[in-house]
Amino acid sequence: MRDATDVFSEWAGKGKDEGMEIGHAASVSQMLNLALATNNLSQRPFTAIDIGCGNGWVVRKLQCLEKCLSAEGVDGSISMIEKAIQIDPKGKYSVAMLPQWRPKNPVDLIHSMEFLYYLEDPVTTLSYILLTLPTTLLVSISFFFVHLLKKLFL
């Protein structure tokens, strides 16, 4: 099986990342609106990280919010991060692999779209985030993965 970072690097070259942005935009907007309202983040300054940021489209969306002090993106695909930097040269983007990567500073919001099932051990990564970071975790995963988790843990 091909490594996910290789697949997504190939996608960056073919422009498939733009299709992901279009396909996920409505869902992400709804999720962000709910997270911002639920945790009062729309009323106070906040920081955010997008894990598996691809071309950085969610980071750019967050940066446009009035109360967002800082938004950064992290992805394992060098090509995706290069594309994010090309689109948004002033943005904060890093190539990093989970679960080894850790944020340098605590953040108020962690966003991740269709990413967790690429990890060898998503439970450990989620546990770390939930138990050690004072943050709101906003994760979107496919129905297939949710079904698999239910079979494994329920």
Side-chain angles (χ1 to χ4, degrees):
M1 188 160 100
R2 288 180 65 199
D3 189 61
T5 56
D6 293 338
V7 172
F8 287 112
S9 289
E10 182 180 300
W11 285 16
K14 292 181 177 180
K16 286 188 174 186
D17 55 305
E18 295 155 18
M20 289 189 297
E21 177 178 349
I22 293 165
H24 293 305
S27 302
V28 168
S29 290
Q30 287 182 349
M31 291 167 41
L32 287 175
N33 289 340
L34 179 63
L36 294 172
T38 302
N39 296 300
N40 213 21
L41 295 177
S42 60
Q43 303 302 313
R44 63 179 174 86
F46 71 93
T47 57
I49 291 177
D50 184 15
I51 299 174
C53 70
N55 72 14
W57 69 274
V58 174
V59 173
R60 294 189 301 278
K61 184 176 187 65
L62 288 164
Q63 289 169 341
C64 290
L65 299 175
E66 179 184 351
K67 298 292 183 178
C68 184
L69 296 176
S70 171
E72 70 179 275
V74 177
D75 202 290
S77 166
I78 295 169
S79 296
M80 284 290 190
I81 292 298
E82 287 172 346
K83 193 162 189 179
I85 292 169
Q86 179 183 5
I87 295 168
D88 180 19
K90 293 183 181 180
K92 298 177 189 172
Y93 300 98
S94 320
V95 176
M97 299 298 286
L98 270 76
Q100 298 81 11
W101 173 84
R102 299 287 190 252
K104 292 177 183 162
N105 299 302
V107 295
D108 300 299
L109 175 67
I110 295 176
H111 173 268
S112 180
M113 178 62 134
E114 300 289 340
F115 166 76
L116 284 176
Y117 42 83
Y118 293 106
L119 298 172
E120 282 185 37
D121 186 4
V123 174
T124 298
T125 301
L126 280 174
S127 296
Y128 169 78
I129 291 169
L130 294 172
L131 297 175
T132 63
L133 298 174
T135 190
T136 298
L137 178 63
L138 184 58
V139 175
S140 172
I141 53 178
S142 72
F143 175 78
F144 171 77
F145 187 68
V146 171
H147 183 70
L148 178 63
L149 285 176
K150 284 182 180 179
K151 280 183 139 181
L152 293 173
F153 298 106
L154 300 178

